[in-house]
Amino acid sequence: MPEKFLKPYDPSETESRTYDTWEKSGLFNPDECVKQGVTSADAPAYSIVLPPPNVTGRLHMGHALMLAIEDVFIRYKRMRGFRTLWVPGTDHAAIATQSVVEKQIKKDENKNRHDLGREELLKRINVFALESHDTIVNQVKTMGASLDWSREAFTLDESRNKAVNTVFNKMYDSGLIYRGHRIVNWDPKGQTTISDDEVVYEERTAKFYTFRYSKDFPIPVATTRPETKVGDVAVAVHPDDARYKEFVGKEYDAVFCDVPIHIKIVADKEVDPEFGTGAVGVTPAHSQTDWDIADRHGLSHEVIIINEFAKMTVDGRIKDKKTTEAREIVVEWLKTEGLLEKEEDITQNVATAERTGGIIEPLPKLQWFIDVNKKIEGRGKTLKELVIEAVRSKQIKIIPEYFEKTYFHWVENLRDWCISRQIWYGHRVPVWYRGEEIAVGEAPDGEGWMQDEDTLDTWFSSGIWTFSTLGWPNETEDFKNYHPTDLLETGYDILPFWVMRMILMTEFTLGTIPFKTVYLHGMVRDAKGRKMSKSLGNNMDPLDVTAKFGADAARMALVVGNTPGTDMRISEDKVKGYKHFANKLWNIARFILENTENTPKNHVGRGTSYMIEGDLKILYEHDVLVKDVTADIEEFRIYMAAEKLYHYAWHELADKIIEESKPIFAGEDAGARASRAQLLLTLLDHTLRILHPFMPFITEEIYQSMPTKDSEFLMVAKWPAEPVVQKKDVESA
RNA sequence: GCGCGGUUAGCUCAGUUGGUAGAGCGCCUCCUUGACGUGGAUGAGGUCGUAGGUUCGAUCCCUACACCGCGCACCA
């Protein structure tokens, strides 16, 4: 028995050494597996593309969970003989990364992006992104993730840029990408548009004011934003509202807080007669709903009263004031004029920007959009329909299944996707202008072309991640071999943001699905069930956890009992429990190796030639476990598989089988001893194999000392899929 | 308002096709010093949210309700 077993198991010593050895072997790369003869060249492929972590800093426990789950499937498939590919990468995360760096620069140097200029800011962001990248890669490796680093990708590198431009061009040519002047979510703090799903609603209490535009205005109007009323062009009421019917169609002039306005009364079914006074002041340029009302009644969109800095642009006393200041001034004016009829408290949802926290100001802007409702030539369907169909037809399976409802619900509410951003970090919109001329896709030859200043929504490049990482648009072997990918594993919180968009982009570009199965994990919370956050100070750093308890323990703690789609709680105590388990396993190995040292070579193996009946039965029961665990993994119940393995190793193998073995080894019956030795070696060998996807390090380390070892690494050893004992052999006993 | 999920042992959660419930941690009692004290053996503890229904039989299927969590929409 090797001396290492005389000491307690030390993950910190073992894990980094083992990962290095694996990496050097090249066997994370399926081509290398074929070359070295551990995988057959015509074996079926299995692929996962890693959801790329944002280069905004470091990984959190959610990432650790993702890595643990995906590595389970990857290692399992590799051992089953598949040509198994797991592609690593990181996401530039455009706005998220830029705002982190901008904040830092503001703090350190009190400068904003305009002080630095585009080039300098990008330089700084790239430095930061590179540092983050290195930290992240190191963290990923620490978790034991068997990713093929030779294929690493970045959402903003040259190859991905080519893919992005190609897709953009194709969408533009088919008329799905268009430039339009529309209301967008403008973030005054971040100075950019954001998409609908980057908007976060915060419940706040606000004042709800009921007023009239002037003394002789016939209808009272209620609003939480009196300052915007200088931009009103109409008042909308419900067509059936008896109170206001007689005024519909009439027009009025007024001077509202120094600003001349012209108001038409219109009837619109969207107005809720029960809410407020049942009359809506219509501000087309600063509200999506109002814009739509204006469209329906032929009203002007042109009255713009707020600028990109959320300041008033009208003349008079509120000129250049921030909207919040202007609100107070307008209310004051209303009071003085005797036009304010009521003031009450209501709770309302305020739209804020996910990244900056700025309050969204809806503004009309010229932006690039993807049309989700236009029939695609040649397909006869809209993007929305394609995205629904891919899941409804069961081509893509979502786990847990009930998330399909959320998915459909989400897609049905989908509107055109605004893809241009007024930030600098990201894929530049691949459009060039020269006077009236426009060029799309790649930079045109000739003088005087100016590229669009904007960049693309970060989800545009992550939407094509499953195939951009495989070398597309080049016709690569990887793309042919590994796409569509087999599994997409990610948190349920980005089902609409990302999963849906990958389906959308892939369906459009390739006419196929991007992946066959979507496995959604839940959120990782602290021991009290709270979200982990900086402000609460309850973050767990995966690096700290693995340093303290080992990556194997961290992985088990994250996987055992963690059903898909359900949030989980994690605490150091839980991880500690699995560190104990690792040590238990170590001692199981120690006992077995110690007591089987003199076993003749021909007794070592996975056969049953020397086994007596009782031992055959124990081996048969183990076969059943292997079968169960295999089925659990195949059917995505890895939370169950992990628990069964834990239970078997500790409470069957250690507590029962090993305990029973002590008197046998101390006894006189040589036949029983030989049988038991063969049994224990087989049980341990199989247990290591099927536990390997979950606890790769310790199992590999023990395997290296096993007399049953039949491959250089456990990582590429065979999964014991075939039962050793036939049922009839046991039943006859 | 629409939708989704949850409600099972003190705590955290499982329970794969309906057959009077399981794990981990915690707790009680005991044992043990050559595999492991990061150990072993026992035990206590649940009318499976409430009310109906289907069934020979329901934690599991159906209906309603309550409470908790979440998503979407509205928010003039």
Side-chain angles (χ1 to χ4, degrees):
Chain A
M1 185 188 62
E3 260 185 45
K4 67 188 182 194
F5 287 106
L6 297 174
K7 287 182 285 184
Y9 178 62
D10 176 13
S12 60
E13 190 280 322
T14 308
E15 292 182 350
S16 60
R17 171 170 50 77
T18 304
Y19 196 90
D20 282 349
T21 321
W22 284 332
E23 210 181 343
K24 282 204 190 87
S25 77
L27 294 169
F28 292 160
N29 180 341
D31 305 331
E32 195 61 34
C33 286
V34 170
K35 202 186 283 173
Q36 295 187 27
V38 299
T39 306
S40 75
D42 55 359
Y46 183 86
S47 58
I48 299 178
V49 179
L50 180 75
N54 292 348
V55 287
T56 45
R58 345 174 29 87
L59 299 188
H60 53 248
M61 291 307 285
H63 292 112
L65 172 61
M66 162 184 92
L67 292 165
I69 294 172
E70 289 173 29
D71 201 33
V72 167
F73 290 113
I74 287 290
R75 285 181 183 272
Y76 167 74
K77 288 290 181 180
R78 192 184 288 122
M79 291 177 76
R80 299 280 339 232
F82 286 74
R83 278 181 304 140
T84 307
L85 174 63
W86 190 15
V87 182
T90 47
D91 194 322
H92 69 287
I95 192 166
T97 309
Q98 178 168 325
S99 67
V100 168
V101 175
E102 278 187 281
K103 268 180 204 159
Q104 195 59 42
I105 292 170
K106 183 80 192 165
K107 199 176 141 203
D108 295 348
E109 303 166 42
N110 197 27
K111 284 181 181 165
N112 65 30
R113 76 170 91 148
H114 300 287
D115 297 330
L116 294 174
R118 189 163 192 149
E119 203 179 325
E120 176 63 18
L121 182 77
L122 286 178
K123 223 162 100 188
R124 305 274 193 104
I125 295 173
N126 286 332
V127 169
F128 172 83
L130 200 62
E131 272 174 33
S132 293
H133 165 269
D134 295 350
T135 309
I136 287 166
V137 167
N138 178 38
Q139 285 178 296
V140 170
K141 291 183 176 178
T142 304
M143 287 302 296
S146 56
L147 289 146
D148 180 3
W149 295 102
S150 73
R151 286 174 163 92
E152 189 185 351
F154 180 49
T155 54
L156 193 56
D157 61 22
E158 209 176 303
S159 173
R160 261 44 66 179
N161 185 246
K162 187 179 172 194
V164 162
N165 291 352
T166 308
V167 172
F168 188 101
N169 195 18
K170 189 170 154 75
M171 286 190 135
Y172 180 85
D173 282 346
S174 57
L176 291 184
I177 285 184
Y178 67 94
R179 206 178 189 202
H181 190 74
R182 300 231 323 245
I183 293 254
V184 294
N185 306 302
W186 179 262
D187 171 13
K189 212 165 166 183
Q191 286 294 300
T192 180
T193 54
I194 58 173
S195 64
D196 293 343
D197 28 67
E198 289 167 304
V199 175
V200 181
Y201 292 94
E202 276 180 31
E203 197 165 270
R204 292 184 190 177
T205 58
K207 292 277 184 220
F208 195 44
Y209 303 97
T210 304
F211 72 99
R212 285 173 203 260
Y213 292 98
S214 63
K215 280 259 166 11
D216 57 350
F217 196 81
I219 301 173
V221 170
T223 183
T224 53
R225 298 199 62 185
E227 77 280 8
T228 64
K229 299 298 103 183
V230 297
D232 283 9
V233 298
V235 164
V237 298
H238 194 275
D240 301 333
D241 196 324
R243 293 170 294 180
Y244 308 131
K245 230 170 184 164
E246 56 177 306
F247 305 112
V248 171
K250 292 191 172 157
E251 304 190 25
Y252 299 84
D253 283 300
V255 176
F256 190 85
C257 198
D258 306 338
V259 182
I261 56 173
H262 182 82
I263 304 286
K264 186 179 179 185
I265 315 290
V266 297
D268 196 289
K269 277 187 192 148
E270 290 299 302
V271 178
D272 176 4
E274 305 294 322
F275 190 83
T277 62
V280 183
V282 181
T283 326
H286 299 286
S287 151
Q288 181 65 53
T289 327
D290 294 7
W291 176 282
D292 295 342
I293 293 175
D295 268 352
R296 286 195 289 271
H297 300 278
L299 303 163
S300 167
H301 296 141
E302 304 302 317
V303 186
I304 291 170
I305 52 147
I306 297 169
N307 68 13
E308 283 87 348
F309 302 97
K311 286 184 175 167
M312 308 304 297
T313 57
V314 291
D315 287 332
R317 71 190 75 183
I318 56 174
K319 185 174 168 58
D320 296 333
K321 300 286 186 203
K322 288 187 105 168
T323 50
T324 43
E325 292 164 4
R327 185 172 312 161
E328 288 172 28
I329 294 167
V330 170
V331 169
E332 208 43 52
W333 176 81
L334 284 170
K335 280 180 185 162
T336 321
E337 297 292 312
L339 295 173
L340 189 66
E341 298 190 352
K342 205 162 46 169
E343 186 179 332
E344 55 199 315
D345 286 323
I346 60 159
T347 56
Q348 63 162 10
N349 286 325
V350 178
T352 64
E354 186 187 24
R355 292 297 169 188
T356 65
I359 293 178
I360 298 302
E361 196 61 65
L363 289 179
K365 291 227 152 236
L366 187 61
Q367 297 290 329
W368 290 97
F369 294 88
I370 292 180
D371 193 330
V372 297
N373 291 310
K374 184 186 164 86
K375 288 249 189 273
I376 305 163
E377 216 172 301
R379 302 291 294 271
K381 299 210 166 97
T382 66
L383 285 174
K384 215 185 214 179
E385 288 164 350
L386 288 176
V387 159
I388 289 177
E389 223 166 72
V391 175
R392 186 154 287 157
S393 67
K394 304 286 174 192
Q395 284 182 79
I396 297 175
K397 182 181 170 190
I398 298 181
I399 296 170
E401 202 180 335
Y402 60 76
F403 268 100
E404 287 183 2
K405 288 182 186 167
T406 311
Y407 177 85
F408 292 133
H409 189 231
W410 217 92
V411 175
E412 276 149 22
N413 287 315
L414 193 63
R415 297 190 303 171
D416 284 3
W417 171 15
C418 176
I419 53 171
S420 46
R421 297 289 179 275
Q422 291 66 54
I423 57 169
W424 293 337
Y425 188 54
H427 292 279
R428 191 111 168 231
V429 172
V431 177
W432 288 261
Y433 312 94
R434 184 168 70 182
E436 293 299 300
E437 291 176 277
I438 183 165
V440 177
E442 49 190 307
D445 295 329
E447 294 292 305
W449 288 94
M450 297 285 287
Q451 187 171 6
D452 198 296
E453 286 293 315
D454 289 354
T455 52
L456 290 170
D457 182 2
T458 188
W459 298 105
F460 192 100
S461 53
S462 24
I464 61 175
W465 186 238
T466 59
F467 54 95
S468 71
T469 48
L470 296 174
W472 188 94
N474 298 329
E475 288 180 22
T476 62
E477 283 300 308
D478 274 4
F479 178 67
K480 278 185 230 158
N481 285 333
Y482 297 109
H483 203 274
T485 61
D486 289 274
L487 182 68
L488 184 275
E489 192 282 334
T490 190
Y492 65 73
D493 55 331
I494 55 173
L495 175 67
F497 298 85
W498 190 43
V499 178
M500 189 272 290
R501 281 195 182 119
M502 282 196 285
I503 299 173
L504 184 153
M505 299 294 266
T506 313
E507 275 292 345
F508 171 78
T509 310
L510 307 175
T512 66
I513 52 171
F515 31 69
K516 295 162 195 159
T517 304
V518 178
Y519 182 105
L520 297 168
H521 65 248
M523 304 297 107
V524 181
R525 298 169 176 277
D526 75 0
K528 291 176 184 165
R530 299 173 304 182
K531 248 187 165 163
M532 293 197 186
S533 72
K534 269 186 197 155
S535 53
L536 279 171
N538 60 349
N539 270 319
M540 275 167 91
D541 186 326
L543 276 185
D544 294 342
V545 177
T546 50
K548 215 163 162 182
F549 305 107
D552 285 332
R555 292 165 63 118
M556 279 297 271
L558 287 164
V559 169
V560 172
N562 184 6
T563 45
T566 308
D567 292 353
M568 72 168 316
R569 302 182 182 203
I570 192 137
S571 61
E572 289 211 344
D573 276 347
K574 189 171 179 189
V575 187
K576 199 161 129 196
Y578 292 100
K579 185 188 168 144
H580 293 177
F581 177 59
N583 193 56
K584 187 76 185 176
L585 206 61
W586 191 246
N587 283 295
I588 288 170
R590 176 176 168 183
F591 177 89
I592 292 178
L593 291 174
E594 203 169 33
N595 285 282
T596 57
E597 262 173 329
N598 301 320
T599 306
K601 272 234 164 70
N602 61 347
H603 287 219
V604 172
R606 292 187 273 136
T608 57
S609 39
Y610 300 90
M611 250 178 243
I612 59 176
E613 278 175 7
D615 289 349
L616 274 179
K617 187 153 185 279
I618 293 173
L619 189 51
Y620 174 75
E621 281 161 7
H622 186 267
D623 281 346
V624 172
L625 170 81
V626 175
K627 202 176 138 208
D628 275 4
V629 166
T630 306
D632 283 339
I633 298 174
E634 288 287 348
E635 286 154 40
F636 301 99
R637 293 186 301 265
I638 58 168
Y639 58 96
M640 183 77 72
E643 195 175 321
K644 281 178 186 163
L645 286 164
Y646 173 89
H647 191 263
Y648 181 83
W650 202 314
H651 300 300
E652 288 296 323
L653 183 54
D655 290 349
K656 298 202 179 107
I657 302 166
I658 285 184
E659 286 304 324
E660 283 168 20
S661 303
K662 289 176 183 174
I664 294 172
F665 287 126
E668 298 298 318
D669 186 340
R673 285 203 307 267
S675 169
R676 188 47 64 128
Q678 189 178 33
L679 171 72
L680 288 182
L681 284 172
T682 307
L683 291 181
L684 179 58
D685 176 272
H686 282 200
T687 301
L688 291 174
R689 286 171 200 254
I690 61 178
L691 188 53
H692 180 258
F694 302 87
M695 301 181 83
F697 291 112
I698 188 172
T699 50
E700 182 74 78
E701 180 69 4
I702 297 171
Y703 180 78
Q704 291 302 326
S705 305
M706 290 291 288
T708 54
K709 181 179 164 197
D710 57 9
S711 60
E712 193 185 355
F713 295 104
L714 178 56
M715 183 179 86
V716 291
K718 269 211 166 68
W719 188 264
E722 292 304 314
V724 183
V725 183
Q726 301 304 312
K727 195 170 185 184
K728 58 180 170 57
D729 297 339
V730 185
E731 277 171 343
S732 67

